[in-house]
Structures are given as structure tokens and as C-alpha cells.
Amino acid sequence: MAVIHRTTLTPTKLELLTSWLPAQPWYRGKGRQPELARTGGFRLDDPKGQVGIEFMAVTDTSGDQPVTYQVPFSYRGAPLAGADEALIGTTEHGVLGQRWVYDGTRDPVLVAQLFALVVGKAEPQMQSTSDTPDPSVIAWFAESDTLAEIAATTATDDPNGTDLLVATAPAGRLLTLHVNRVLHPGQNADGRALGHVTADATLPDGTTARTAYVVVHARP
């Protein structure tokens, strides 16, 4: 289960993102340093209890119009081999000690649990409360058969988000899980989608709207 510790984090997640976001291809505020606030998200459990998994929504108010980004985080107690380019930074946790914070789209544990969420094998958790399901996060998958597991995955960024190309086993079917990095509150998945994950995103007036965080399509 996801255990939330009420303790310090130095530097904070927002401080790490302030340095990391401007270098990403989907960052809209080129030439500006972001001014960030947490505005939503949820967590997933690692079945082995080793990796923290969080999908965080942050809103940047540095420009003329606020922009909300989604950052999937994975938190580890040791470096992830071969993932140096995905490292957002390291931080000192008041209970757990040093933590390595990664862009979770490059972390196989996060990707596996996101896939499990899509096909109904994982339950979303509240972002800031231990061991508490989050019923506001809804996953839907169009097909009745339960796909087995991930055999391989690759991640590619573009100006709108990250495509996770997933090969399933044993059938070897290809799916694309598109992680929307720029969230548009109120925007749903298109009608061609095989599945999606939706959750609340904050509008400029402080209200929330259901929004597609992840969209699934079949690959030929």
C-alpha cells in the first residue's frame, strides 16, 4: 500500500520540477522559469513495496495563461540502472533518507502499474492519504479479455506528451499509452481510444473538470 509520510523533503518536488521542466519538449513556457503549484493527481501501489508511484498535476502561472502539466514520478531508494537521462533529481526524505526521483515514464515499475490500472488490475490511491482508494480516478478499457502482462516497452516524447509503446505477452500485441503531459481540464479521450484514465484537473477559477490523463490506442 502507498504510505504517505508527514515529513520533510529537501529539495521539494516542486523545486526539482522548477529546474527540470524547462528542458522538456512539451514545456510551453520556453525562456521562462516556471512558477508551480500542485493542483491534483493520484498514486499507484508497487506490489513489491519498493518504488513510490505518483501522477502529479502541477500548474505553471509564469505566463499570461496558466498551464497544467502531468508528471508521473517514481521514487526509489537507489539509482535505477540505465535511467540516468530520466533522473529528475535526488532529494532527502525525512524518514526514508535519500531518494532518487525519476520521470516515471521511463521506470518499468510505474509503466507496469499504469498498464495494470488501465486493464483493471490496479486500484488508484489518494495522493496524500495512506492506503485510501481514490474513486475520482476512473480507468476504462474497451475489450473484455484481460491482457496478460507487458513484455516490452519504449517511451518517446513529443510536444504534447509521452507515447509508451507496450508489447503484451503472450500475444505480442502492440498498444500505445499516450500520457498527456499538458492537461486541458475538461478534455476527454477521443472516440477511437481503446481505453483511458481520467481524473480531475483544476480550472483557472478553482473548480475541477474531468480530464484525460492517459489515452490508449491499438497499434497495427
Side-chain angles (χ1 to χ4, degrees):
M1 71 177 181
V3 177
I4 311 302
H5 298 279
R6 306 298 178 184
T7 186
T8 57
L9 200 64
T10 309
T12 67
K13 300 170 194 176
L14 292 184
E15 288 170 339
L16 289 175
L17 286 180
T18 297
S19 300
W20 181 79
L21 270 177
Q24 307 315 306
W26 34 265
Y27 180 61
R28 296 293 192 261
K30 300 301 182 185
R32 294 195 308 269
Q33 183 172 343
E35 299 174 7
L36 302 174
R38 294 174 57 161
T39 51
F42 60 95
R43 289 178 179 264
L44 294 175
D45 284 338
D46 169 16
K48 295 182 178 180
Q50 299 298 311
V51 179
I53 300 172
E54 181 178 10
F55 293 78
M56 181 185 287
V58 295
T59 298
D60 177 16
T61 58
S62 64
D64 295 336
Q65 298 292 328
V67 180
T68 299
Y69 300 97
Q70 177 188 187
V71 181
F73 284 117
S74 66
Y75 309 104
R76 289 176 169 266
L80 174 61
D84 290 352
E85 292 185 359
L87 183 67
I88 295 175
T90 59
T91 188
E92 190 68 23
H93 190 282
V95 174
L96 301 175
Q98 189 172 17
R99 305 292 281 172
W100 281 257
V101 182
Y102 289 95
D103 174 2
T105 63
R106 273 67 176 179
D107 190 317
V109 173
L110 182 145
V111 174
Q113 288 311 106
L114 174 58
F115 179 75
L117 173 64
V118 168
V119 300
K121 291 184 176 181
E123 186 174 38
Q125 301 289 309
M126 296 290 288
Q127 190 175 26
S128 302
T129 306
S130 296
D131 194 24
T132 304
D134 187 343
S136 71
V137 180
I138 298 174
W140 170 81
F141 192 66
E143 303 196 353
S144 58
D145 62 318
T146 301
L147 300 172
E149 60 184 18
I150 292 178
T153 182
T154 58
T156 305
D157 291 316
D158 63 35
N160 295 310
T162 301
D163 280 338
L164 300 174
L165 178 60
V166 171
T168 64
R173 186 178 184 190
L174 294 178
L175 298 173
T176 297
L177 279 62
H178 181 77
V179 179
N180 286 324
R181 296 292 201 155
V182 180
L183 297 178
H184 301 282
Q187 182 178 24
N188 294 316
D190 63 63
R192 299 169 297 165
L194 273 182
H196 60 238
V197 177
T198 63
D200 290 336
T202 303
L203 293 161
D205 64 2
T207 62
T208 60
R210 181 145 300 278
T211 302
Y213 277 57
V214 179
V215 182
V216 183
H217 290 280
R219 287 288 293 267

